[in-house]
Amino acid sequence: MLTYSMDQRGNLSLYEYLYQCIRGDILSGALAAGERLPSKRSLAEHLHLSVITVEGAYQQLEAEGYVYTLPRRGFFVSPVERTAPVPATPPSAPEPEERSWRLDLKRNQVDRSRFPVSTWARLARRVLSEDGEALLRPVPHQGLPALRRAIADDLRDFRGMAVDPAQILVGAGAEYLYLLLAQLLDRDAVIAVEDPGYPKIRQVYGSLGVPCRPVPLDSQGMDLAALAASGAAVAHLSPAHHYPTGLVTPIGRRQALLRWAETSGGYIIEDDYDSELRFTGRPIPTLQSIDRGGRVLYMNTFSQTISPSMRLGFVVLPPALLAEYRRRLDFYACTVPALEQHVLALFLSEGHYERHLSRMRKEYRLRRDAVLEAFRSSSFASRITLSEQGAGLHFLLRLKTSRSDEDLRRRGEALGVRLGFLSEYAALPSPTYAHTLVVNYGGLEPAALPEAMALLGAVFAE
Amino acid sequence: MLTYSMDQRGNLSLYEYLYQCIRGDILSGALAAGERLPSKRSLAEHLHLSVITVEGAYQQLEAEGYVYTLPRRGFFVSPVERTAPVPATPPSAPEPEERSWRLDLKRNQVDRSRFPVSTWARLARRVLSEDGEALLRPVPHQGLPALRRAIADDLRDFRGMAVDPAQILVGAGAEYLYLLLAQLLDRDAVIAVEDPGYPKIRQVYGSLGVPCRPVPLDSQGMDLAALAASGAAVAHLSPAHHYPTGLVTPIGRRQALLRWAETSGGYIIEDDYDSELRFTGRPIPTLQSIDRGGRVLYMNTFSQTISPSMRLGFVVLPPALLAEYRRRLDFYACTVPALEQHVLALFLSEGHYERHLSRMRKEYRLRRDAVLEAFRSSSFASRITLSEQGAGLHFLLRLKTSRSDEDLRRRGEALGVRLGFLSEYAALPSPTYAHTLVVNYGGLEPAALPEAMALLGAVFAE
C-alpha cells in the first residue's frame, strides 16, 4: 500500500501533497505503468485521510493523465517517461542595462514635464468613476467610435483633412501600424523607404520579410527617378518633416509623387510623425489632403506630442484599402486598451490636445532658439553649419573636422556624450553624410546648455 | 498687383487667408511658374495689411514649396501642377453593424459584471495620483519590470513555473504576440497548428505568409505521427484545455511532444489561454514546467480572466530564443501603455488577481452546473451528448439530427440564435465533426436559461 508521511506536506493541502507524492512515484518509476492504485476508501483508511481527499488527488492525477480509470475496476498508472523533476532555478538572463549619459543627443526625447498629466489623470478618473465598465466593454476592431470621431474632427480642424471616422484604424503605436500595413499591402510588393531615414521602418518591414528598397533623397525629398527605378509599389514617406534630415517636401514634388502612385497603381504611406511641431506658420498640408486618386495611407501617432509610452497611433485608409482591410484583416482586435481610447477621445474633443500643442510649440520654439544660440556662440561655432526648418525636435549639425564619425563617437562615449550621426540612418553609404550630427534637443534643458557646449567642445577639439 | 478682398476671410487669420488666396491662384494657374510676387512691403500697402502679415503668408507658401526665393530679388512662383481643390466630402464607408442576438452561443464571452472594476479603478487612481508621470516615463521594451516580476511570482505561486522576469515579454494581446513570435521563429519554418483549433492563430500566421499546417488531434491532443509528417519546426498547442474541443493533453503525450521538439530541434508554443478556469482541482501543470531542453515558448493573456478589451498578454521565452529576440527584435517598443502595466502589476502583487480568479471559478462552476442541468432536462435532452472537462467557458454538444450544420445555422439565425459548429474550427474537413456545437456559455445568465432552452428546442426540432 502507498505510504506517505502526510505531516511533511508544509503549506500544501492534504490532497495536493498526496497528488504530488503519487505523481513523484509515477515519474520515478516506483509506480509502474499499468499498476493498479489502491481503492480510494482503502488508501484513505491507510493514510488516515478522508475519502474526499484521496478522491481529489486521484482526480487531479487523472486530469493530468498520470492515471486512467477502467469502469468498476479503479485507477491505473498511465505509461509515462521516467524523469527527475526540473530544477526550479530559472535561467539567469540579466537584462542589458541602459547607460546613463551626461549628454544624450541621439535619443529622440520629449520633455515629459510639458504634458498636462493632471488633466489626463482627471479625465481618466472621470471615465473610471462615471463608467468603469467602459474598461471591459468590447471595442470595435478599428477603435472606439468616439475616439475616431475626435481624431477625424482634429484632422479637419487643424490639418484641413476630410476624413470619415470609418476610414480610421487605431493601433498600439507606429511599429504596430507598420506591421498591419505590411499585411494589408501586397506582401511581395517592394516598399521604397527614404534613405537616410527612420531605422525602425526598415527594421519592421525587414523583419516581416517584405522587400524594402532604400531610395535616396534629393533636396526636395524622395528622388523620383530612383523611386521609379526601384520597382517599388509602395513608398513610405515623411513629406512634412523628414527624419533625420528635417527636409520638407515642396508642393511640386508632392504632386509628382502622387502622379507616380496614380500612374503606377502604387500607394504612398504618409508617415506624419511630427507635423504638429512646426514653430512658424501653419502645419504643412498633408499629401492625403491633395490625394484625389485614393493612393495615400495617412498615419500619425501621439508619441511625439503626448508620450511614446502611451502607444497610440492611427491610420487613415483610402476607400479601396479600407474594403480590403475589412475583408482580410478585420479579425485583429484593436490593440489599444479601452481606457486610453476613452481618455484620449475626451482629451481631443474637449480641446486639451490643441491647447497642449500650442503650449508645446511655444516652449519648444524658445528651447530651440536657446539651443541654436548656444551652438552659435560656442567655442566651435566657426566650425559648424546648422540646418533646421523651424520644426521638430532635431536638426542637423555639420562639423568641419579631420576626425572620422567613428572617432568622434568614441571620444564622445569616453566623456559620457552620446552622439547620433546622419550616416547611421542611411542604408546606402555616401560621403556627403560624413561629419554630420543629428542633434535631438527635445530633452536639452536651457540650464544644461553651458555644460553641454563645454562637453561638445571637448569632443570636437582637433 | 494681387488683389484679394480681405473681409471675406471668415474665421481665418489675415495671413492664413492671404496664403490661401495666393495658393489658389498658383494652383489655378492665375499665377504662372517663374512669376515674381510683389515685394512684401508693396503688397502690404496695396492690401492695407501689415508687412508681418504678408511675410507670414509668403513664409508659409515658401515652406510648402509654392514659391521660392532668390537672394535680393524676392519671391517667385514654383512650377506646380494646376489642380482644382479636392472636394471636402470624405468617402462614405459605413461600418458593418453587428447583429444583436436573442441567444449567442458562438461568441466567447466573459461576464463583465464579475470583474472588480472598482478595485481596478482604485489602483488606477492610486497610480495617477501618486506618480502621474509614470504614464509618460519610457517603459523597457520587454515590459515594466514590476509587472514582469509580478507575473513571474504568480506563475511560480499558482502554476509551479520557475521563470526569470527577464524571460518575460509583455505585449498587447495574443494576436500581437503571435505576430512577434512569427518574426522571432524562422520565417520559413512550418508551424503546425491544432485542427480543429482557434481560427485567429491560423489567420495571423497566414496573413504573415508563414507556412502553417493544420495537424489533426486524436483523443490525447496533437497527433504525433501527423506532426512528424507535417515537416513542422514549430507546434502551436493548447495542451491545458484545447479550444474548441476542451481536450486536456495527458502527461504521456506532453512528454512525447517535448521529445519531438528536442530531437527535431523544434519549438512548442504553449498557448495557455484559459488554464486559470479549471473548476475542480488544481490547474493542469504547464509543458513549460517540465521542459528541460528550452524548447517551450509559454504564452498567456488576461483576456479570459480580466477582459479582452484590456489587451494584455505575455510570453516566456526559453534562453536561446530570448537571446535571439534581444539580438533581432528588441527594437520593438512595448505595445502596452504604461498605466495598464502599473495597474496590473499592483493588481497581481496585492493578490486581487488570484482572489478574482477564485471567485470566478466558484461562480462559473455554478453557472456551468446550471447550464449543464438545463441542457440535461431540456426537451431535446435525449438527443444530445455533452462533453466537457470541468474547465473553460465552453463545451461541446453533439446532437442527433437529420439536418445539416448549415441547415441548423440558418434555422438558428431565423430565430435570433447564433450557433457555432465544431466544423467551422477545422481546416481539414471530417465527418466526425458534424452535428457538434461549440457552446460558449460565459455570457449565459442562469435566469436566461429557460428561454435559451426553448429557443434551442425550436432550432433543434426535427
Side-chain angles (χ1 to χ4, degrees):
Chain A
M1 181 75 75
L2 304 176
T3 302
Y4 307 110
S5 148
M6 301 303 289
D7 45 359
Q8 288 177 15
R9 70 181 192 277
N11 292 323
L12 294 178
S13 65
L14 285 166
Y15 104 85
E16 196 167 338
Y17 181 70
L18 179 60
Y19 147 82
Q20 287 198 359
C21 290
I22 301 175
R23 185 184 66 175
D25 281 352
I26 294 173
L27 286 170
S28 72
L31 283 167
E35 202 168 317
R36 180 169 162 181
L37 294 187
S39 75
K40 289 179 259 184
R41 178 172 309 270
S42 60
L43 185 60
E45 274 174 22
H46 177 65
L47 296 177
H48 306 291
L49 297 170
S50 74
V51 173
I52 287 178
T53 299
V54 178
E55 188 167 80
Y58 279 19
Q59 276 178 356
Q60 186 68 29
L61 289 164
E62 188 190 5
E64 298 182 20
Y66 287 95
V67 304
Y68 59 94
T69 52
L70 291 178
R72 274 186 283 269
R73 296 207 45 219
F75 290 84
F76 295 82
V77 174
S78 305
V80 300
E81 290 175 26
R82 293 186 184 194
T83 55
V86 174
T89 30
S92 171
E95 287 174 72
E97 274 193 37
E98 283 227 9
R99 175 166 173 189
S100 71
W101 301 92
R102 291 173 74 186
L103 174 63
D104 186 349
L105 297 182
K106 181 162 188 185
R107 183 178 179 144
N108 180 3
Q109 292 180 80
V110 180
D111 186 344
R112 291 195 295 274
S113 64
R114 306 298 170 196
F115 184 73
V117 172
S118 58
T119 304
W120 187 275
R122 181 166 52 76
L123 296 176
R125 276 189 220 107
R126 199 165 100 199
V127 172
L128 290 166
S129 66
E130 284 177 7
D131 182 19
E133 286 238 350
L135 286 184
L136 308 178
R137 263 196 303 273
V139 167
H141 287 188
Q142 285 187 228
L144 196 73
L147 174 58
R148 288 185 283 138
R149 173 85 267 161
I151 289 172
D153 288 350
D154 193 74
L155 292 174
R156 182 196 60 218
D157 295 345
F158 297 94
R159 308 290 278 128
M161 290 166 65
V163 167
D164 183 332
Q167 293 176 270
I168 295 178
L169 210 66
V170 171
E175 298 151 27
Y176 176 72
L177 294 172
Y178 300 158
L179 284 173
L180 218 48
L181 294 184
Q183 292 171 74
L184 178 59
L185 299 161
D186 179 5
R187 216 172 34 239
D188 301 321
V190 172
I191 301 190
V193 296
E194 297 163 318
D195 192 49
Y198 184 57
K200 287 200 183 180
I201 297 169
R202 284 198 300 269
Q203 285 175 303
V204 172
Y205 294 144
S207 170
L208 292 178
V210 171
C212 182
R213 301 269 181 283
V215 172
L217 309 177
D218 61 21
S219 65
Q220 301 212 320
M222 190 173 270
D223 185 279
L224 273 168
L227 172 58
S230 72
V234 179
H236 190 127
L237 308 174
S238 300
H241 189 234
H242 173 258
Y243 194 88
T245 65
L247 203 89
V248 179
T249 300
I251 179 68
R253 178 64 57 86
R254 287 164 180 255
Q255 291 174 328
L257 286 162
L258 284 174
R259 281 322 140 258
W260 165 81
E262 282 167 14
T263 52
S264 70
Y267 285 103
I268 293 174
I269 298 174
E270 179 176 26
D271 198 338
D272 206 28
Y273 74 102
D274 79 347
S275 58
E276 303 81 5
L277 295 179
R278 262 189 80 73
F279 303 126
T280 50
R282 301 159 13 106
I284 303 290
T286 61
L287 266 182
Q288 197 271 356
S289 64
I290 56 166
D291 170 29
R292 327 171 127 263
R295 311 314 299 174
V296 174
L297 300 79
Y298 174 89
M299 64 173 286
N300 206 343
T301 73
F302 297 90
S303 294
Q304 289 279 323
T305 53
I306 297 182
S307 161
S309 59
M310 207 68 80
R311 303 323 292 159
L312 227 154
F314 64 92
V315 180
V316 178
L317 293 177
L321 288 180
L322 177 61
E324 177 78 4
Y325 168 83
R326 288 191 181 150
R327 199 174 62 73
R328 273 202 297 119
L329 295 174
D330 195 34
F331 68 86
Y332 280 112
C334 185
T335 38
V336 180
L339 178 63
E340 267 69 15
Q341 298 197 55
H342 281 281
V343 177
L344 181 58
L346 291 174
F347 195 74
L348 285 164
S349 65
E350 295 189 352
H352 304 292
Y353 183 61
E354 287 301 329
R355 276 195 292 281
H356 163 58
L357 285 184
S358 140
R359 272 192 309 266
M360 259 184 107
R361 277 189 286 260
K362 212 172 289 172
E363 290 173 6
Y364 277 113
R365 179 164 55 227
L366 292 176
R367 178 170 298 199
R368 180 197 57 153
D369 291 347
V371 169
L372 294 175
E373 174 54 30
F375 273 98
R376 286 176 183 141
S377 58
S378 68
S379 62
F380 46 89
S382 64
R383 293 168 51 221
I384 60 174
T385 318
L386 306 180
S387 71
E388 64 89 38
Q389 309 286 332
L393 301 182
H394 65 275
F395 54 82
L396 294 187
L397 177 158
R398 205 173 153 85
L399 179 70
K400 250 191 237 160
T401 181
S402 59
R403 300 183 186 280
S404 71
D405 287 1
E406 192 43 43
D407 194 9
L408 288 170
R409 185 202 332 278
R410 271 197 303 264
R411 285 169 64 113
E413 279 178 7
L415 290 166
V417 177
R418 191 173 178 220
L419 300 176
F421 293 89
L422 180 56
S423 51
E424 300 170 47
Y425 294 90
L428 310 170
S430 160
T432 62
Y433 303 147
H435 310 145
T436 305
L437 275 79
V438 180
V439 179
N440 290 282
Y441 70 92
L444 208 51
E445 294 281 352
L449 285 171
E451 195 204 346
M453 293 306 124
L455 283 167
L456 287 176
V459 176
F460 294 166
E462 285 293 280
Chain B
M1 183 75 77
L2 304 175
T3 303
Y4 308 111
S5 147
M6 300 304 289
D7 46 358
Q8 286 176 17
R9 70 181 192 278
N11 291 322
L12 294 178
S13 65
L14 285 167
Y15 104 84
E16 196 167 337
Y17 181 69
L18 179 59
Y19 147 81
Q20 287 197 0
C21 290
I22 302 175
R23 186 184 64 176
D25 280 352
I26 294 174
L27 286 170
S28 72
L31 283 167
E35 202 167 319
R36 181 169 161 181
L37 294 188
S39 76
K40 288 179 259 184
R41 178 172 310 270
S42 61
L43 185 60
E45 275 173 21
H46 177 64
L47 295 178
H48 306 289
L49 297 170
S50 74
V51 174
I52 287 178
T53 299
V54 179
E55 187 166 82
Y58 279 19
Q59 276 178 355
Q60 186 68 29
L61 289 165
E62 188 190 7
E64 298 182 20
Y66 286 96
V67 304
Y68 58 96
T69 53
L70 291 179
R72 274 185 284 267
R73 295 206 46 218
F75 290 84
F76 294 82
V77 175
S78 305
V80 300
E81 291 176 26
R82 294 185 182 193
T83 55
V86 174
T89 29
S92 170
E95 287 174 71
E97 273 193 38
E98 282 226 8
R99 174 164 175 191
S100 71
W101 300 93
R102 290 173 74 186
L103 175 63
D104 185 349
L105 297 181
K106 181 162 187 187
R107 183 179 180 144
N108 181 3
Q109 291 181 83
V110 180
D111 187 345
R112 290 195 295 273
S113 64
R114 305 299 170 193
F115 184 73
V117 172
S118 57
T119 305
W120 187 274
R122 182 165 52 77
L123 296 175
R125 276 188 221 108
R126 199 164 100 199
V127 172
L128 290 166
S129 66
E130 285 176 7
D131 182 18
E133 287 237 350
L135 286 184
L136 308 178
R137 261 195 305 273
V139 167
H141 287 187
Q142 286 186 228
L144 196 73
L147 174 58
R148 288 185 284 139
R149 174 84 266 162
I151 289 173
D153 288 349
D154 193 74
L155 292 175
R156 181 195 62 217
D157 295 346
F158 297 94
R159 308 290 277 130
M161 290 165 66
V163 167
D164 183 332
Q167 293 175 270
I168 295 178
L169 210 66
V170 171
E175 297 150 27
Y176 176 72
L177 294 172
Y178 300 158
L179 284 173
L180 218 48
L181 294 184
Q183 292 171 75
L184 178 59
L185 299 160
D186 178 6
R187 216 171 34 240
D188 302 320
V190 172
I191 301 189
V193 296
E194 297 165 318
D195 192 49
Y198 183 57
K200 287 202 182 179
I201 298 169
R202 284 198 301 268
Q203 285 174 302
V204 172
Y205 294 143
S207 169
L208 291 179
V210 170
C212 182
R213 300 269 180 285
V215 172
L217 309 177
D218 61 21
S219 64
Q220 302 213 319
M222 190 173 270
D223 185 281
L224 273 167
L227 171 58
S230 72
V234 179
H236 190 128
L237 308 174
S238 300
H241 189 234
H242 173 259
Y243 194 88
T245 66
L247 203 88
V248 179
T249 299
I251 179 69
R253 177 64 56 86
R254 287 164 180 255
Q255 291 175 328
L257 287 162
L258 284 174
R259 282 322 139 258
W260 164 82
E262 283 167 14
T263 53
S264 69
Y267 285 104
I268 293 174
I269 298 173
E270 179 175 25
D271 198 338
D272 206 27
Y273 74 102
D274 79 346
S275 59
E276 303 81 5
L277 295 179
R278 263 189 80 73
F279 303 126
T280 50
R282 301 157 15 106
I284 304 289
T286 61
L287 266 182
Q288 197 272 356
S289 63
I290 57 166
D291 170 31
R292 327 171 126 262
R295 311 315 298 176
V296 174
L297 299 79
Y298 174 89
M299 65 172 286
N300 206 344
T301 73
F302 297 90
S303 294
Q304 289 278 321
T305 53
I306 297 182
S307 161
S309 59
M310 207 67 82
R311 301 326 291 161
L312 226 154
F314 63 93
V315 179
V316 178
L317 292 177
L321 288 180
L322 177 60
E324 177 78 5
Y325 168 83
R326 289 193 181 149
R327 199 173 63 72
R328 273 203 296 120
L329 295 174
D330 195 32
F331 67 86
Y332 281 112
C334 185
T335 38
V336 180
L339 178 62
E340 267 69 16
Q341 298 197 55
H342 281 280
V343 176
L344 181 58
L346 291 173
F347 195 74
L348 285 164
S349 65
E350 296 189 350
H352 304 291
Y353 183 61
E354 286 301 330
R355 276 195 291 281
H356 164 58
L357 285 185
S358 140
R359 273 193 308 268
M360 261 185 106
R361 277 189 286 260
K362 212 172 286 171
E363 289 173 8
Y364 277 113
R365 180 163 55 227
L366 292 175
R367 178 170 296 199
R368 179 197 57 153
D369 291 347
V371 169
L372 293 175
E373 175 53 30
F375 274 98
R376 286 176 183 140
S377 57
S378 68
S379 62
F380 47 88
S382 63
R383 293 168 51 221
I384 62 174
T385 318
L386 306 180
S387 72
E388 63 89 38
Q389 309 285 332
L393 301 182
H394 66 274
F395 55 81
L396 295 186
L397 177 158
R398 206 174 153 83
L399 178 71
K400 250 190 238 161
T401 181
S402 59
R403 300 184 185 278
S404 70
D405 287 1
E406 193 42 47
D407 194 8
L408 288 170
R409 186 201 332 277
R410 271 198 303 265
R411 286 170 62 114
E413 278 178 7
L415 289 166
V417 177
R418 190 172 179 222
L419 300 176
F421 293 90
L422 181 55
S423 52
E424 299 169 48
Y425 294 89
L428 310 170
S430 159
T432 62
Y433 302 147
H435 310 143
T436 305
L437 275 80
V438 180
V439 179
N440 290 283
Y441 70 92
L444 207 50
E445 295 281 353
L449 284 171
E451 195 204 344
M453 293 306 124
L455 283 167
L456 287 175
V459 176
F460 294 165
E462 285 293 281

